[in-house]
Amino acid sequence: MYEQISHSLLNEILDELKPEIRRQNLRHFYTRLGANFYAIHSLFDQLYGNREDFRQKIIELVEVLASRYIERAPELEQIDMARERDHNWFLSEEWVGMALYADGFAGSLKGIKKHLPYIQELGVNMVHIMPMLVCPEHASDGGYAVSDFRDIDPRTGSLKDLVKVANALRKRGILLTLDVVVNHTSNEHQWAKRAREGDKKYQDYYHVFPDRDIPDMFEETMPEVFPESAPGNFTFDEQMNQWVMTVFNTFQWDLNYSNPAVFIEMVDIILYWANRGADIVRLDAVAYLWKKIGTACQNEREAHLILQMMKDCCQVTAPGVLFIAEAIVEPFEITKYFGEDAVIAKECEIAYNATFMALLWDAVATKNARLLNQGLLSLPDKLNRATWLNYVRCHDDIGLGFDNLDIKKAGYEPVPHRKFLFDYLTGAHETSNSRGHPFGLNQKTGDARISGSLASLVGLETAIENEDEAGVDRAIRLILLLHGLILSFGGIPLIYYGDEVGTVNDYSFKDDEHKAGDSRWIHRPRMDWERTEKRHQRGTVENLIFDGLKKLIGVRKTIPAFADFNNRQLINVENEHLFVFLRNHPEKPGEMLLVVANFDSRPQYLDLSDLSKQLRVHGASLKDLASGESPVVHRQHLVIPPYRFYWLTDQ
Ligand code: GLC
């Protein structure tokens, strides 16, 4: 958009840029800056317009954008331009992701290179390497307490190794996702150290207070993220003799985005990793970016403005790079992280579908899809050109963050229902063989979350221990069922490393005093590469899961109806054990695919006579693309075996 004030300011800024920047060939940079500057300027003005250094700061920001653009490798610029032309590229059915810790998966970054054939064998073509930047060894929060945003932890490798991995991935057509922990730093970060030494400039990078007055006011409305291990939201720093805001762990200092210097630093860091080869940047804990007394300090409007500005800036310098929003918040808040008032994503193109994930676990525990269906109705439609990251497990806990109203509409009472889920997933319930572990128990609110690996949560660990063949079979079916759903729901499916071979809980964290208080370590395994070899031995657990998943991934990539163009319709069916939805071919509306999943331990049927009018589905000609078989249809009743799912087409 053209607007006089921002346009004349832009001209002045360009005149004032450092001579070394002005000398460069910046054609594409200028066209993109011209297109985005109005938005950047007005957002910057909304957040920082009342500051005396406003003009200085916006010049600094443009200098950062230009400097990182100049640095961007020609190969990456080519990719930027190709993606500008094919801007829907990431909505395709072709993408399948895996999240992994470099050290847990392969010992190191070098190890990842070695195991790329394994990743490709499975069909994964998007790899999220979890944070591996310099972190204090015993206060790392699994890599999310960063003490140097520009260097790799030597225990995992070096910057050179990372660039090599990025190049190797690119050659194989695999996308690289990297984290930028935008909300906080480790207390060992240079900025925090300087703040502690009394440097006012860096104290202003954080939320620092001389006494408890303001912290106490904040506490009145702020929930606790880690109530057991880090109660409260402020930590007293002896050296500084002040209180500092620490929403997560006591060693993670929240950054102060009301200071434009922090914003500029972070944009610089995001672009730094874009230039090291990240195709996608996962922005951590984005819901927390803005703090305001009297609020929960989550999902504040300004947090969205910051993300919009980050997106606009990234589009100027590295437009091919996408953002993932890690915002594990209520359904109606999650979709806002795509951006609200535009067709195309204006904040993050991708967001974790935490709602779907948690609802899937409800269906596993209850063996029905009542809350799953109800809860999905509460998930607002997302923008076009935005997509979900659908997952079953990740490195974090499972929060039971459903809407109380939805729980009621599904026919339960919220408090006992949550208690049932918690008991079921932790194995306390008599019908359960799940091995989840409690996480983040909050005595004040009664909130409880769950850790545990996928395999242990679905009972594989218990079944193997008890030599219970039926239990093993059930667990494998459930693992494939859950993946069958994230592969077909619409969005990028994200497999969690180890789940593809049924990795069970790792209890070794209990022996490490620095990890013992955080049960999420139970599901951050070290890959056992000898065991993964068993995937080649027919009939082993590893073989059944790996091969099953590999086939599903292969089939997903051939089904255009699985691309994400808001082409999904939930189908209400009478049988509560079934979860049913329809996917349409984005360009050929007549071409449809029906997904039917049975969460029950008994076979269930779906009456096709009602469906056939609505959907033109005829029993006689149905084929399940997931297995390649024709399902049993008895007198217009489709039969779905226990814990099975179908991807049905009309042949
Ligand atoms: C994100 C990460 C989580 C971490 C938190 C604080 O939610 O996924 O692992 O503990 O941010 O950095």
Side-chain angles (χ1 to χ4, degrees), residues 141 144 184 226 248 252 282 284 326 395-396 520 524:
D141 190 24
Y144 288 97
H184 44 260
F226 297 141
F248 291 87
Q252 287 166 302
R282 175 192 183 275
D284 184 61
E326 194 255 346
H395 69 290
D396 280 332
R520 292 175 300 171
R524 296 173 179 173

